Amino acid sequence: MDNLLLRQLTARSKPIRVGVAGAGRFSAGLVIQAARMKGLQISVLYDAQPQYAVEAYMAAGHDKNDIRGADSPAGIQEAIEAGKPVIAANPFDMLACDLDVIVDSTGLPVFGAQFAYEALRHKKHVVMVNIEADVGVGPALRRLAEQEGVVYTLADGDQPSLAKGLYDWAQTLGFDVPVLGKWMTVHSQEEADRRLNDRNGMRDTDIAYWDGSKYQIEMACMANMTGYVPDIPGMHKPRIPLVEIPEAFRLRVEGGILNRSGVVDVVDVPYTGDFNRDHLNGGVFIVIGSPDPFVRRQLREKGIPMSSDGSQGIIYRAHHLVGMETPISIAKAVLLGEATGSPKPRASSDVVAVAKRHVKAGETLDGMGGESVRAHLVAAVGSSADDGLPYALAQHVVAGVDIPKGTMITYGMLRERGTDFIWRLREIQDGLNEF
């Protein structure tokens, strides 16, 4: 019989119960789409601004009078058993309740690292929308999930997982996959500065989008699921049309821009306001290759854009639906014990912190959404004084020296190492500590 996932969801006597931290745009899509599904229920929401959670529930069809608030695990559990949507005052309270899956959609690395850790310790499956935490400590969280007998997975519908889906398809069929990537608008420094001059109403993740950190993080996430790396620090970011991608992403010795295969990169698509030009912005792609003449001919005849020598072409998806597909990851984790995508046990790439401005000795780094650092994609770093400081750790720590604008910040430039829990997880990941 077809559609195993839908059959299993429909057959459940009790729905899969889900708790979500973060009620922004991504989670709103998740909550609204889940309300139309059989066998799956968003039972608990948390947001630092509870009104966002109220709005998400109401957009999914819940009556405002049915939405409960709870400031204890007992209060949350009571609402769950009554079948009422509930908003938690403290996100950690939901971990002690009868939930199958926890979703972190906050985008806050320090919070997300500890929240995911505690959820896994409570033997909850974790769907990690918070890739800002994942790129810092995802391999450690994956190892913990395996130890606890649950699933740690990235979220379907987010670009890294969509690219991983294309990659899995191609690998299963035996194609070579030299490149994974996405389209986006790479903003000029002038445009970014203009936007960031007025930060009113901006969340940390909005600021990370404009300062360029977000796409560096997304590509690190994509890289760590596949073992890929950036070809050069920060990536090439060529501004080219779709049909030229297979040609551009060839090796230098073949006339392309790459020094090696097995890399991630982005293609710059300037935003124009014209859908016919902008429809790829937000999409993902893979470059595939085959040595077989028959396969190459079939790809070309079926309309796949190919390189000039016919050796490789592009497979792509032009859109991502921002949370609406995440229920698939939730269902797969519970029903199939399967991750949509998770980082390999050892990271291949990192995003390190780079000074956005001159940072003076004695200043506290303010992390994502702040004024002191942005993210930059590199091959995986170690933990010595000369190694780059992971972007996820560049918060609540003090510069020990003056750091010029544009400088990669190293561990050795800090007055001392941090005390946030995320530091302990990173030490575990780097083999300096144990669970």
Short mmCIF file of all heavy atoms in Angstrom, two decimals, residues 185-240:
data_model
loop_
_atom_site.label_atom_id
_atom_site.label_comp_id
_atom_site.label_asym_id
_atom_site.label_seq_id
_atom_site.Cartn_x
_atom_site.Cartn_y
_atom_site.Cartn_z
N THR A 185 19.61 36.63 -2.46
CA THR A 185 20.15 37.94 -2.76
C THR A 185 21.28 38.24 -1.78
O THR A 185 21.06 38.27 -0.57
CB THR A 185 19.07 39.03 -2.65
OG1 THR A 185 18.03 38.73 -3.58
CG2 THR A 185 19.65 40.40 -2.95
N VAL A 186 22.48 38.41 -2.29
CA VAL A 186 23.62 38.80 -1.46
C VAL A 186 23.63 40.32 -1.40
O VAL A 186 23.91 40.99 -2.40
CB VAL A 186 24.95 38.25 -2.03
CG1 VAL A 186 26.13 38.71 -1.17
CG2 VAL A 186 24.90 36.73 -2.12
N HIS A 187 23.33 40.87 -0.24
CA HIS A 187 23.19 42.32 -0.11
C HIS A 187 24.55 43.00 -0.02
O HIS A 187 25.48 42.50 0.60
CB HIS A 187 22.36 42.66 1.13
CG HIS A 187 20.99 42.08 1.11
ND1 HIS A 187 20.00 42.57 0.30
CD2 HIS A 187 20.44 41.03 1.77
CE1 HIS A 187 18.90 41.86 0.46
NE2 HIS A 187 19.14 40.92 1.35
N SER A 188 24.63 44.15 -0.64
CA SER A 188 25.85 44.95 -0.53
C SER A 188 25.99 45.46 0.89
O SER A 188 25.01 45.55 1.65
CB SER A 188 25.78 46.14 -1.49
OG SER A 188 24.78 47.06 -1.06
N GLN A 189 27.21 45.82 1.26
CA GLN A 189 27.44 46.35 2.60
C GLN A 189 26.65 47.63 2.82
O GLN A 189 26.11 47.88 3.91
CB GLN A 189 28.94 46.62 2.81
CG GLN A 189 29.31 46.95 4.26
CD GLN A 189 29.00 45.82 5.22
OE1 GLN A 189 29.45 44.69 5.02
NE2 GLN A 189 28.21 46.09 6.24
N GLU A 190 26.52 48.44 1.77
CA GLU A 190 25.78 49.70 1.88
C GLU A 190 24.30 49.44 2.17
O GLU A 190 23.69 50.10 3.02
CB GLU A 190 25.93 50.52 0.59
CG GLU A 190 27.34 51.03 0.32
CD GLU A 190 28.29 49.94 -0.18
OE1 GLU A 190 27.82 48.86 -0.59
OE2 GLU A 190 29.51 50.16 -0.13
N GLU A 191 23.72 48.47 1.45
CA GLU A 191 22.31 48.15 1.66
C GLU A 191 22.10 47.57 3.06
O GLU A 191 21.14 47.91 3.76
CB GLU A 191 21.84 47.15 0.60
CG GLU A 191 20.45 46.56 0.83
CD GLU A 191 19.32 47.55 0.66
OE1 GLU A 191 19.57 48.73 0.34
OE2 GLU A 191 18.15 47.14 0.84
N ALA A 192 23.00 46.67 3.46
CA ALA A 192 22.89 46.08 4.80
C ALA A 192 22.98 47.15 5.88
O ALA A 192 22.18 47.16 6.83
CB ALA A 192 23.97 45.03 5.00
N ASP A 193 23.93 48.06 5.74
CA ASP A 193 24.09 49.13 6.74
C ASP A 193 22.85 50.01 6.80
O ASP A 193 22.40 50.42 7.89
CB ASP A 193 25.32 49.97 6.42
CG ASP A 193 26.63 49.24 6.66
OD1 ASP A 193 26.61 48.20 7.35
OD2 ASP A 193 27.66 49.70 6.14
N ARG A 194 22.28 50.30 5.63
CA ARG A 194 21.09 51.15 5.59
C ARG A 194 19.93 50.48 6.32
O ARG A 194 19.22 51.12 7.11
CB ARG A 194 20.70 51.43 4.14
CG ARG A 194 19.53 52.40 3.98
CD ARG A 194 19.23 52.67 2.53
NE ARG A 194 18.73 51.50 1.84
CZ ARG A 194 17.45 51.10 1.91
NH1 ARG A 194 16.58 51.78 2.65
NH2 ARG A 194 17.06 50.03 1.24
N ARG A 195 19.73 49.18 6.07
CA ARG A 195 18.65 48.45 6.72
C ARG A 195 18.86 48.35 8.22
O ARG A 195 17.91 48.42 9.00
CB ARG A 195 18.55 47.04 6.13
CG ARG A 195 18.13 47.01 4.68
CD ARG A 195 16.63 47.09 4.56
NE ARG A 195 16.19 46.96 3.17
CZ ARG A 195 14.94 46.73 2.81
NH1 ARG A 195 14.01 46.59 3.73
NH2 ARG A 195 14.62 46.63 1.53
N LEU A 196 20.11 48.16 8.62
CA LEU A 196 20.42 47.92 10.03
C LEU A 196 20.50 49.20 10.85
O LEU A 196 20.61 49.15 12.07
CB LEU A 196 21.72 47.12 10.16
CG LEU A 196 21.64 45.69 9.61
CD1 LEU A 196 23.01 45.03 9.61
CD2 LEU A 196 20.65 44.85 10.40
N ASN A 197 20.45 50.34 10.17
CA ASN A 197 20.44 51.60 10.91
C ASN A 197 19.17 51.75 11.75
O ASN A 197 19.16 52.45 12.76
CB ASN A 197 20.56 52.79 9.94
CG ASN A 197 22.00 53.05 9.56
OD1 ASN A 197 22.92 52.67 10.29
ND2 ASN A 197 22.21 53.69 8.41
N ASP A 198 18.09 51.12 11.30
CA ASP A 198 16.83 51.15 12.04
C ASP A 198 16.46 49.73 12.41
O ASP A 198 15.90 48.99 11.60
CB ASP A 198 15.72 51.79 11.20
CG ASP A 198 14.39 51.86 11.95
OD1 ASP A 198 14.39 51.61 13.17
OD2 ASP A 198 13.36 52.16 11.32
N ARG A 199 16.77 49.32 13.63
CA ARG A 199 16.56 47.93 14.05
C ARG A 199 15.24 47.75 14.79
O ARG A 199 14.95 46.64 15.27
CB ARG A 199 17.71 47.48 14.97
CG ARG A 199 19.07 47.52 14.29
CD ARG A 199 20.14 46.97 15.19
NE ARG A 199 21.42 46.96 14.50
CZ ARG A 199 22.38 46.09 14.73
NH1 ARG A 199 22.21 45.14 15.63
NH2 ARG A 199 23.52 46.15 14.08
N ASN A 200 14.44 48.77 14.91
CA ASN A 200 13.17 48.66 15.63
C ASN A 200 12.30 47.57 15.01
O ASN A 200 12.07 47.56 13.80
CB ASN A 200 12.41 49.99 15.62
CG ASN A 200 13.09 51.04 16.48
OD1 ASN A 200 13.83 50.70 17.40
ND2 ASN A 200 12.84 52.30 16.18
N GLY A 201 11.84 46.66 15.84
CA GLY A 201 10.98 45.59 15.36
C GLY A 201 11.71 44.41 14.77
O GLY A 201 11.10 43.41 14.41
N MET A 202 13.05 44.51 14.63
CA MET A 202 13.82 43.40 14.08
C MET A 202 14.18 42.38 15.16
O MET A 202 14.62 42.74 16.24
CB MET A 202 15.13 43.91 13.45
CG MET A 202 15.01 44.51 12.08
SD MET A 202 16.66 44.71 11.34
CE MET A 202 16.21 45.36 9.74
N ARG A 203 13.97 41.11 14.84
CA ARG A 203 14.46 40.04 15.69
C ARG A 203 15.93 39.78 15.36
O ARG A 203 16.44 40.22 14.32
CB ARG A 203 13.64 38.77 15.50
CG ARG A 203 12.23 38.84 16.06
CD ARG A 203 11.57 37.47 16.10
NE ARG A 203 10.38 37.47 16.93
CZ ARG A 203 9.82 36.38 17.44
NH1 ARG A 203 10.35 35.19 17.18
NH2 ARG A 203 8.75 36.45 18.18
N ASP A 204 16.58 39.03 16.24
CA ASP A 204 17.98 38.71 16.00
C ASP A 204 18.18 38.03 14.66
O ASP A 204 19.16 38.28 13.95
CB ASP A 204 18.51 37.80 17.12
CG ASP A 204 18.66 38.52 18.45
OD1 ASP A 204 18.58 39.77 18.45
OD2 ASP A 204 18.86 37.85 19.48
N THR A 205 17.23 37.14 14.30
CA THR A 205 17.36 36.42 13.03
C THR A 205 17.21 37.36 11.83
O THR A 205 17.81 37.12 10.78
CB THR A 205 16.32 35.30 12.95
OG1 THR A 205 15.03 35.81 13.31
CG2 THR A 205 16.67 34.16 13.91
N ASP A 206 16.41 38.43 11.97
CA ASP A 206 16.29 39.42 10.90
C ASP A 206 17.62 40.13 10.68
O ASP A 206 18.06 40.35 9.54
CB ASP A 206 15.21 40.46 11.23
CG ASP A 206 13.83 39.85 11.38
OD1 ASP A 206 13.54 38.87 10.67
OD2 ASP A 206 13.05 40.35 12.22
N ILE A 207 18.25 40.50 11.78
CA ILE A 207 19.54 41.18 11.69
C ILE A 207 20.59 40.26 11.07
O ILE A 207 21.39 40.68 10.22
CB ILE A 207 19.98 41.66 13.08
CG1 ILE A 207 19.00 42.74 13.58
CG2 ILE A 207 21.40 42.21 13.05
CD1 ILE A 207 19.16 43.12 15.03
N ALA A 208 20.56 38.98 11.46
CA ALA A 208 21.51 38.01 10.90
C ALA A 208 21.31 37.84 9.39
O ALA A 208 22.26 37.59 8.65
CB ALA A 208 21.37 36.67 11.60
N TYR A 209 20.07 38.01 8.94
CA TYR A 209 19.81 37.95 7.50
C TYR A 209 20.48 39.11 6.78
O TYR A 209 21.18 38.93 5.78
CB TYR A 209 18.30 37.97 7.25
CG TYR A 209 17.92 38.15 5.80
CD1 TYR A 209 17.98 37.09 4.91
CD2 TYR A 209 17.51 39.40 5.33
CE1 TYR A 209 17.64 37.28 3.57
CE2 TYR A 209 17.17 39.59 4.01
CZ TYR A 209 17.24 38.53 3.13
OH TYR A 209 16.90 38.70 1.80
N TRP A 210 20.32 40.31 7.34
CA TRP A 210 20.85 41.49 6.66
C TRP A 210 22.36 41.62 6.76
O TRP A 210 23.00 42.12 5.84
CB TRP A 210 20.16 42.76 7.19
CG TRP A 210 18.80 42.92 6.61
CD1 TRP A 210 17.60 42.70 7.23
CD2 TRP A 210 18.48 43.28 5.27
NE1 TRP A 210 16.57 42.89 6.36
CE2 TRP A 210 17.07 43.25 5.15
CE3 TRP A 210 19.25 43.61 4.15
CZ2 TRP A 210 16.43 43.56 3.96
CZ3 TRP A 210 18.60 43.92 2.97
CH2 TRP A 210 17.21 43.90 2.88
N ASP A 211 22.96 41.14 7.85
CA ASP A 211 24.42 41.27 7.93
C ASP A 211 25.16 40.11 7.24
O ASP A 211 26.39 40.06 7.25
CB ASP A 211 24.89 41.46 9.38
CG ASP A 211 24.81 40.21 10.25
OD1 ASP A 211 24.71 39.09 9.73
OD2 ASP A 211 24.88 40.37 11.49
N GLY A 212 24.39 39.20 6.63
CA GLY A 212 24.99 38.12 5.86
C GLY A 212 25.26 36.86 6.64
O GLY A 212 25.69 35.84 6.07
N SER A 213 25.00 36.86 7.94
CA SER A 213 25.29 35.68 8.75
C SER A 213 24.38 34.51 8.41
O SER A 213 24.80 33.35 8.45
CB SER A 213 25.15 36.02 10.24
OG SER A 213 26.13 36.96 10.64
N LYS A 214 23.12 34.80 8.10
CA LYS A 214 22.13 33.74 7.96
C LYS A 214 22.50 32.74 6.87
O LYS A 214 22.45 31.53 7.08
CB LYS A 214 20.75 34.35 7.68
CG LYS A 214 19.62 33.33 7.63
CD LYS A 214 19.38 32.71 8.99
CE LYS A 214 18.16 31.79 8.96
NZ LYS A 214 17.95 31.12 10.26
N TYR A 215 22.89 33.22 5.71
CA TYR A 215 23.17 32.26 4.64
C TYR A 215 24.48 31.52 4.89
O TYR A 215 24.64 30.37 4.45
CB TYR A 215 23.13 32.92 3.26
CG TYR A 215 24.27 33.84 2.90
CD1 TYR A 215 25.44 33.34 2.33
CD2 TYR A 215 24.17 35.21 3.07
CE1 TYR A 215 26.48 34.18 1.96
CE2 TYR A 215 25.20 36.06 2.70
CZ TYR A 215 26.35 35.54 2.15
OH TYR A 215 27.38 36.37 1.79
N GLN A 216 25.41 32.14 5.60
CA GLN A 216 26.63 31.42 5.97
C GLN A 216 26.28 30.26 6.90
O GLN A 216 26.82 29.14 6.78
CB GLN A 216 27.61 32.37 6.66
CG GLN A 216 28.03 33.57 5.83
CD GLN A 216 29.14 33.28 4.83
OE1 GLN A 216 29.94 32.37 5.01
NE2 GLN A 216 29.21 34.06 3.76
N ILE A 217 25.36 30.49 7.82
CA ILE A 217 24.90 29.45 8.75
C ILE A 217 24.16 28.35 8.01
O ILE A 217 24.38 27.16 8.24
CB ILE A 217 24.00 30.09 9.83
CG1 ILE A 217 24.83 31.01 10.73
CG2 ILE A 217 23.30 29.03 10.66
CD1 ILE A 217 23.99 31.92 11.62
N GLU A 218 23.26 28.74 7.11
CA GLU A 218 22.50 27.74 6.35
C GLU A 218 23.42 26.82 5.56
O GLU A 218 23.21 25.59 5.51
CB GLU A 218 21.53 28.45 5.41
CG GLU A 218 20.38 29.13 6.12
CD GLU A 218 19.60 30.07 5.21
OE1 GLU A 218 20.16 30.59 4.22
OE2 GLU A 218 18.41 30.29 5.50
N MET A 219 24.45 27.39 4.96
CA MET A 219 25.34 26.56 4.15
C MET A 219 26.23 25.68 5.02
O MET A 219 26.60 24.57 4.62
CB MET A 219 26.17 27.44 3.22
CG MET A 219 25.33 28.30 2.28
SD MET A 219 24.00 27.42 1.44
CE MET A 219 24.92 26.32 0.40
N ALA A 220 26.58 26.14 6.22
CA ALA A 220 27.31 25.28 7.16
C ALA A 220 26.46 24.10 7.58
O ALA A 220 26.95 22.96 7.68
CB ALA A 220 27.75 26.09 8.39
N CYS A 221 25.20 24.35 7.81
CA CYS A 221 24.27 23.28 8.17
C CYS A 221 24.18 22.25 7.05
O CYS A 221 24.25 21.04 7.27
CB CYS A 221 22.90 23.89 8.46
SG CYS A 221 21.66 22.71 8.97
N MET A 222 24.06 22.73 5.82
CA MET A 222 24.01 21.87 4.65
C MET A 222 25.31 21.07 4.52
O MET A 222 25.30 19.86 4.23
CB MET A 222 23.81 22.76 3.41
CG MET A 222 23.17 22.10 2.22
SD MET A 222 22.99 23.28 0.83
CE MET A 222 21.69 24.35 1.44
N ALA A 223 26.43 21.73 4.76
CA ALA A 223 27.72 21.07 4.64
C ALA A 223 27.88 19.96 5.68
O ALA A 223 28.35 18.86 5.36
CB ALA A 223 28.84 22.10 4.80
N ASN A 224 27.48 20.23 6.90
CA ASN A 224 27.70 19.26 7.97
C ASN A 224 26.79 18.05 7.87
O ASN A 224 27.10 16.99 8.44
CB ASN A 224 27.55 19.94 9.34
CG ASN A 224 28.74 20.80 9.68
OD1 ASN A 224 29.85 20.56 9.21
ND2 ASN A 224 28.52 21.82 10.49
N MET A 225 25.68 18.16 7.15
CA MET A 225 24.85 16.98 6.91
C MET A 225 25.44 16.06 5.85
O MET A 225 25.08 14.88 5.78
CB MET A 225 23.43 17.41 6.48
CG MET A 225 22.58 17.93 7.61
SD MET A 225 20.85 18.10 7.13
CE MET A 225 20.92 19.57 6.12
N THR A 226 26.32 16.59 5.04
CA THR A 226 26.83 15.82 3.89
C THR A 226 28.33 15.59 3.95
O THR A 226 28.87 14.83 3.12
CB THR A 226 26.51 16.58 2.59
OG1 THR A 226 27.05 17.92 2.68
CG2 THR A 226 25.00 16.68 2.37
N GLY A 227 29.02 16.24 4.87
CA GLY A 227 30.47 16.15 4.92
C GLY A 227 31.17 17.08 3.94
O GLY A 227 32.37 16.95 3.72
N TYR A 228 30.42 18.03 3.37
CA TYR A 228 30.98 18.96 2.40
C TYR A 228 31.64 20.15 3.12
O TYR A 228 31.52 20.31 4.33
CB TYR A 228 29.90 19.45 1.44
CG TYR A 228 29.54 18.46 0.35
CD1 TYR A 228 29.71 17.10 0.54
CD2 TYR A 228 29.04 18.88 -0.86
CE1 TYR A 228 29.39 16.18 -0.45
CE2 TYR A 228 28.70 17.98 -1.86
CZ TYR A 228 28.88 16.64 -1.66
OH TYR A 228 28.55 15.74 -2.64
N VAL A 229 32.32 20.98 2.35
CA VAL A 229 33.02 22.16 2.88
C VAL A 229 32.81 23.32 1.92
O VAL A 229 32.41 23.12 0.77
CB VAL A 229 34.54 21.89 3.03
CG1 VAL A 229 34.80 20.80 4.07
CG2 VAL A 229 35.16 21.52 1.68
N PRO A 230 33.10 24.55 2.36
CA PRO A 230 33.15 25.65 1.39
C PRO A 230 34.44 25.53 0.58
O PRO A 230 35.48 25.17 1.11
CB PRO A 230 33.18 26.89 2.28
CG PRO A 230 33.83 26.43 3.55
CD PRO A 230 33.37 25.02 3.74
N ASP A 231 34.35 25.83 -0.71
CA ASP A 231 35.56 25.75 -1.55
C ASP A 231 36.59 26.78 -1.11
O ASP A 231 37.79 26.50 -1.11
CB ASP A 231 35.17 25.98 -3.02
CG ASP A 231 36.33 25.72 -3.97
OD1 ASP A 231 36.99 24.68 -3.82
OD2 ASP A 231 36.57 26.57 -4.84
N ILE A 232 36.13 27.96 -0.74
CA ILE A 232 36.97 29.00 -0.15
C ILE A 232 36.21 29.56 1.05
O ILE A 232 34.98 29.47 1.10
CB ILE A 232 37.31 30.13 -1.14
CG1 ILE A 232 36.02 30.81 -1.65
CG2 ILE A 232 38.13 29.60 -2.31
CD1 ILE A 232 36.26 32.05 -2.50
N PRO A 233 36.90 30.13 2.05
CA PRO A 233 36.18 30.73 3.17
C PRO A 233 35.15 31.75 2.69
O PRO A 233 35.44 32.62 1.87
CB PRO A 233 37.30 31.39 3.98
CG PRO A 233 38.52 30.59 3.66
CD PRO A 233 38.37 30.22 2.21
N GLY A 234 33.93 31.62 3.19
CA GLY A 234 32.87 32.55 2.80
C GLY A 234 32.18 32.23 1.50
O GLY A 234 31.17 32.84 1.16
N MET A 235 32.73 31.29 0.70
CA MET A 235 32.16 30.81 -0.57
C MET A 235 32.37 31.81 -1.71
O MET A 235 32.73 32.96 -1.51
CB MET A 235 30.66 30.48 -0.42
CG MET A 235 30.38 29.39 0.61
SD MET A 235 28.60 29.16 0.92
CE MET A 235 28.21 30.67 1.81
N HIS A 236 32.13 31.34 -2.93
CA HIS A 236 32.35 32.17 -4.12
C HIS A 236 31.21 33.16 -4.36
O HIS A 236 31.44 34.28 -4.80
CB HIS A 236 32.49 31.26 -5.36
CG HIS A 236 33.74 30.44 -5.37
ND1 HIS A 236 34.97 30.96 -5.65
CD2 HIS A 236 33.93 29.11 -5.13
CE1 HIS A 236 35.89 30.00 -5.61
NE2 HIS A 236 35.29 28.87 -5.29
N LYS A 237 29.96 32.72 -4.19
CA LYS A 237 28.76 33.56 -4.37
C LYS A 237 28.66 34.19 -5.76
O LYS A 237 28.48 35.41 -5.90
CB LYS A 237 28.72 34.65 -3.30
CG LYS A 237 28.67 34.13 -1.88
CD LYS A 237 28.85 35.23 -0.85
CE LYS A 237 30.27 35.74 -0.84
NZ LYS A 237 30.60 36.59 0.33
N PRO A 238 28.78 33.40 -6.82
CA PRO A 238 28.73 33.99 -8.16
C PRO A 238 27.33 34.53 -8.48
O PRO A 238 26.33 33.99 -8.03
CB PRO A 238 29.07 32.81 -9.07
CG PRO A 238 28.60 31.61 -8.31
CD PRO A 238 28.91 31.92 -6.87
N ARG A 239 27.27 35.59 -9.26
CA ARG A 239 26.01 36.13 -9.75
C ARG A 239 25.84 35.65 -11.18
O ARG A 239 26.36 36.24 -12.13
CB ARG A 239 26.00 37.65 -9.68
CG ARG A 239 24.71 38.28 -10.19
CD ARG A 239 24.68 39.79 -9.99
NE ARG A 239 24.53 40.13 -8.58
CZ ARG A 239 24.30 41.38 -8.15
NH1 ARG A 239 24.20 42.38 -9.03
NH2 ARG A 239 24.16 41.62 -6.86
N ILE A 240 25.13 34.54 -11.35
CA ILE A 240 24.97 33.90 -12.66
C ILE A 240 23.54 33.38 -12.80
O ILE A 240 22.90 33.08 -11.79
CB ILE A 240 25.96 32.72 -12.84
CG1 ILE A 240 25.88 31.77 -11.64
CG2 ILE A 240 27.38 33.23 -13.05
CD1 ILE A 240 26.75 30.53 -11.76
#
